[in-house]
Amino acid sequence: MDKGRKKDFLIKFCCFIAAFGLWLYIYNIENPIKTTIVKNVGVSITNKDVLSQYNLVELPNQDYSVNLTVKGATSKIYSLKPSQFKLEADLSTYALKKGKMQIPVIIKESPEDVTIINPETLWVEIEIDKYTQKNVPVKSVVKGKVKEGYNALEPLISPNTVVVGGPSKYVSLVDHANVSINFNNDENNIENTYTLIPVDSSGKEVDHVKVEPKEVSVKIPLDKTKYVPVEANLKSTGDKTVSSLTIIPDNVAISGEPEVLKKITKLTTEEIDLSRISKDGIVEAKLKVPDNIKLVDVEEKVKIKVTFETAMQKNISGYKNF
């Protein structure tokens, strides 16, 4: 039984050796002509500078490659790689326009003894767009906080408008350019240059456009802050008496130069004419803010809840006084 197995193994092994020898003979001696496809052979786009003559620009992220059908000896074509070919597409030979264009591929280099079948049918597609520019405003995006007891004033940005240029497809998306400013417990005035980021109306960054200038100068003054009470300036009338008055908010934060800030002990509202208020309720009054003083995180108006004395309240009050 063991001898039979050994005999079968020897027969199979001899067949394998014979087949392998025949393959070597055909591959190296006969070496027949075969056809195969070399996939994803890169194509270089040349003379792109002519695009500017037509006020055009190449759209980004395009893949320029073709599949080559080649013919040659078996020993040659089965070891071919895309890097062994040099292909070009010349933009200077065509009248260019916006949109997708088919440009013929030129064979510049290929391995010896290898034939490219029908090279005249090789084309590569390129998408072109109009080059446009537009002015957009610069806006600040502030993160973090300054040191407690300080207030950051509105950033002074120079220049406050910039030029965005590139393919019209992307330029049309740009709404403004953002400058990102990060506070880190600052207590001194901030003065620095920041890189601009073009964004759409939702604040998402827009790629493939250029901003000129790339950076802007930003100055942010930091003022001292303090809280002061709010006082209502009431114009009294003979027929109405206020029984209760609530101001919302009853104190506000203000900022300014330390010497100016020191002199402010309260803020008053503009005059409130009680004769114009027919019943209990809430009225709005604008705060009188001195020069060189700014309100911090509060509107210029406060709400005042007014309650008047009724006739019964007046009689009771008069009876007690009697």
Side-chain angles (χ1 to χ4, degrees), residues 2 11 67 75 82 87 102-103 105 116 125 136 150 161 170 174 176 218 235 272 278:
D2 290 340
I11 293 172
N67 296 333
S75 59
L87 310 181
Q102 298 288 331
I103 307 296
V105 174
I116 298 174
E125 183 178 87
V136 296
Y150 288 84
T161 60
Y170 298 103
V174 181
H176 61 276
V218 180
K235 180 182 179 182
I272 302 170
S278 60

Side-chain angles (χ1 to χ4, degrees), residues 58-77:
E58 172 192 17
L59 284 177
N61 301 327
Q62 297 188 68
D63 175 37
Y64 304 122
S65 63
V66 294
N67 296 333
L68 296 179
T69 302
V70 298
K71 182 173 66 174
T74 303
S75 59
K76 289 283 187 181
I77 64 171

Side-chain angles (χ1 to χ4, degrees), residues 156-197:
L156 304 174
I157 303 173
S158 179
N160 56 14
T161 60
V162 292
V163 178
V164 178
S168 61
K169 176 180 180 180
Y170 298 103
V171 172
S172 63
L173 300 176
V174 181
D175 180 75
H176 61 276
N178 272 346
V179 53
S180 184
I181 302 165
N182 293 316
F183 290 137
N184 186 22
N185 208 33
D186 300 280
E187 59 181 300
N188 297 316
N189 294 343
I190 294 171
E191 186 172 349
N192 210 338
T193 56
Y194 295 87
T195 301
L196 292 167
I197 301 174

Side-chain angles (χ1 to χ4, degrees), residues 114-148:
V114 171
T115 302
I116 298 174
I117 299 174
N118 299 327
E120 66 278 0
T121 62
L122 295 175
W123 299 77
V124 69
E125 183 178 87
I126 180 171
E127 189 171 2
I128 300 171
D129 198 1
K130 280 284 185 183
Y131 178 84
T132 58
Q133 290 182 329
K134 71 176 182 181
N135 294 325
V136 296
V138 178
K139 297 182 180 181
S140 59
V141 177
V142 178
K143 299 178 181 178
K145 294 183 179 180
V146 296
K147 189 174 181 179
E148 187 175 353

Side-chain angles (χ1 to χ4, degrees), residues 38-298:
V38 183
K39 296 182 178 181
N40 299 320
V41 180
V43 179
S44 299
I45 307 298
T46 61
N47 292 315
K48 291 183 181 181
D49 54 319
V50 300
L51 289 169
S52 60
Q53 299 176 17
Y54 298 91
N55 199 33
L56 297 171
V57 63
E58 172 192 17
L59 284 177
N61 301 327
Q62 297 188 68
D63 175 37
Y64 304 122
S65 63
V66 294
N67 296 333
L68 296 179
T69 302
V70 298
K71 182 173 66 174
T74 303
S75 59
K76 289 283 187 181
I77 64 171
Y78 285 154
S79 60
L80 288 175
K81 298 178 180 179
S83 58
Q84 294 177 266
F85 298 86
K86 182 179 179 181
L87 310 181
E88 292 181 357
D90 188 356
L91 294 184
S92 66
T93 58
Y94 269 69
L96 302 173
K97 61 181 181 179
K98 178 181 177 180
K100 295 181 179 180
M101 298 190 64
Q102 298 288 331
I103 307 296
V105 174
I106 303 170
I107 312 285
K108 287 293 185 178
E109 293 180 11
S110 62
E112 293 182 0
D113 302 324
V114 171
T115 302
I116 298 174
I117 299 174
N118 299 327
E120 66 278 0
T121 62
L122 295 175
W123 299 77
V124 69
E125 183 178 87
I126 180 171
E127 189 171 2
I128 300 171
D129 198 1
K130 280 284 185 183
Y131 178 84
T132 58
Q133 290 182 329
K134 71 176 182 181
N135 294 325
V136 296
V138 178
K139 297 182 180 181
S140 59
V141 177
V142 178
K143 299 178 181 178
K145 294 183 179 180
V146 296
K147 189 174 181 179
E148 187 175 353
Y150 288 84
N151 175 55
L153 302 185
E154 191 70 22
L156 304 174
I157 303 173
S158 179
N160 56 14
T161 60
V162 292
V163 178
V164 178
S168 61
K169 176 180 180 180
Y170 298 103
V171 172
S172 63
L173 300 176
V174 181
D175 180 75
H176 61 276
N178 272 346
V179 53
S180 184
I181 302 165
N182 293 316
F183 290 137
N184 186 22
N185 208 33
D186 300 280
E187 59 181 300
N188 297 316
N189 294 343
I190 294 171
E191 186 172 349
N192 210 338
T193 56
Y194 295 87
T195 301
L196 292 167
I197 301 174
V199 297
D200 61 18
S201 57
S202 66
K204 183 180 178 182
E205 183 175 356
V206 178
D207 295 323
H208 314 306
V209 297
K210 292 184 178 179
V211 181
E212 289 295 337
K214 297 178 181 179
E215 296 181 336
V216 291
S217 172
V218 180
K219 297 179 181 179
I220 306 177
L222 300 188
D223 278 352
K224 288 283 288 181
T225 64
K226 77 173 186 179
Y227 282 88
V228 293
V230 176
E231 185 178 281
N233 180 16
L234 301 178
K235 180 182 179 182
S236 60
T237 60
D239 59 341
K240 287 186 179 181
T241 303
V242 175
S243 65
S244 69
L245 184 143
T246 304
I247 302 174
I248 307 170
D250 59 358
N251 63 79
V252 293
I254 58 174
S255 69
E257 293 292 332
E259 291 301 317
V260 178
L261 208 60
K262 190 186 301 182
K263 299 175 183 179
I264 308 298
T265 58
K266 66 180 179 180
L267 290 185
T268 60
T269 67
E270 294 182 342
E271 188 177 74
I272 302 170
D273 189 353
L274 294 179
S275 66
R276 295 179 176 274
I277 305 173
S278 60
K279 58 182 179 179
D280 297 351
I282 296 176
V283 296
E284 286 189 342
K286 190 174 182 180
L287 290 171
K288 295 170 69 175
V289 183
D291 294 338
N292 302 321
I293 291 294
K294 293 183 180 295
L295 294 170
V296 180
D297 298 329
V298 70

